[in-house]
Structures are given as C-alpha cells and as structure tokens.
Amino acid sequence: GDSITTPGPERALQKLDRSWLEKSMAVNVIGPMMVSQALAPLMEQRRNPKQPQDMRPPAIIANLSARVGSISDNNLGGWYSYRASKAALNQATRCMALELKRKHVWTVALHPGTTQTDLSLPF
C-alpha cells in the first residue's frame, strides 16, 4: 500500500493497521500452511531400501519468503506486518521441514530476490 489510502507497509508502530496485519498473515502464513497441510499426505513417499528402483526423489514444498523475514538480519525495522508474516512463514517452514523429512518430503523457504517496484525503491 501507499500508507495514505492503503495501509502498509508500516514504517512505525503507530501506523500498524489490524486489517493489514491480518491480511498479511492470511496471505503469507495461513495460506501456505493450509496448502501444505492438504498436500503433504499426497507427497509422502514410501521408500523401500530393498528395492533401489523405488528410490524416487523426495517431494518438495517450496515457500516463497523474503529476506526481511529474517529476525537476525533486521537492521532497519519497520514493515511490521510483512516482516512478521514472513518470519512466521520461515518458522512454519522450519517446523514442517523437521516433521516432513521423516516422510521424505523436503520443505524449504526461498528468497527469490527483491522485485523492483515503487514499494522497494527506497531499499
């Protein structure tokens, strides 16, 4: 948003908008988690080490994250809703990775890079 007619990204705590925060969480965390939950059973692979021809590659869940979701790499602050939602996605991805690796499903978070938009110009 432009922070004038549309909320977000918030550069100050006083600009935090509940609706924008909820939308950010719905799009960036809840959606990917619910899709992963629904698809994970279909992705589980039963491997039989006694049958090498059955050694299929693992299934992969790839969540699109962002560097601004890194807690340790946050040196600028701001962007509360977006940063919090991407940090939550990163943690959810890590939790899924630990659980699903036992079922031969890899789970990763990818940062594809910053897209040049009006929003990213100052950065």
Side-chain angles (χ1 to χ4, degrees), residues 49-78:
K50 295 178 184 178
Q51 295 179 346
Q53 69 274 14
D54 193 33
M55 296 299 287
R56 295 170 284 173
I60 300 172
I61 294 173
N63 289 322
L64 292 181
S65 188
R67 185 173 178 181
V68 297
S70 169
I71 293 171
S72 63
D73 193 34
N74 181 359
N75 297 312
L76 296 174

Side-chain angles (χ1 to χ4, degrees), residues 59-65 89-90 93-94 96-97 105-111:
I60 300 172
I61 294 173
N63 289 322
L64 292 181
S65 188
L89 176 64
N90 291 344
T93 301
R94 179 71 177 139
M96 285 188 281
V105 176
W106 295 357
T107 309
V108 298
L110 302 173
H111 168 53

Side-chain angles (χ1 to χ4, degrees), residues 2-3 5 10 19 25-26 32-34 46 51 62 69 76 81 86 88 92 97-98 102 105 108 122:
D2 60 15
S3 295
T5 59
E10 314 89 347
S19 175
M25 290 294 181
M33 288 182 69
M34 299 310 294
R46 309 285 189 251
Q51 295 179 346
L76 296 174
S81 297
K86 290 300 186 175
L98 292 169
R102 296 184 292 266
V105 176
V108 298

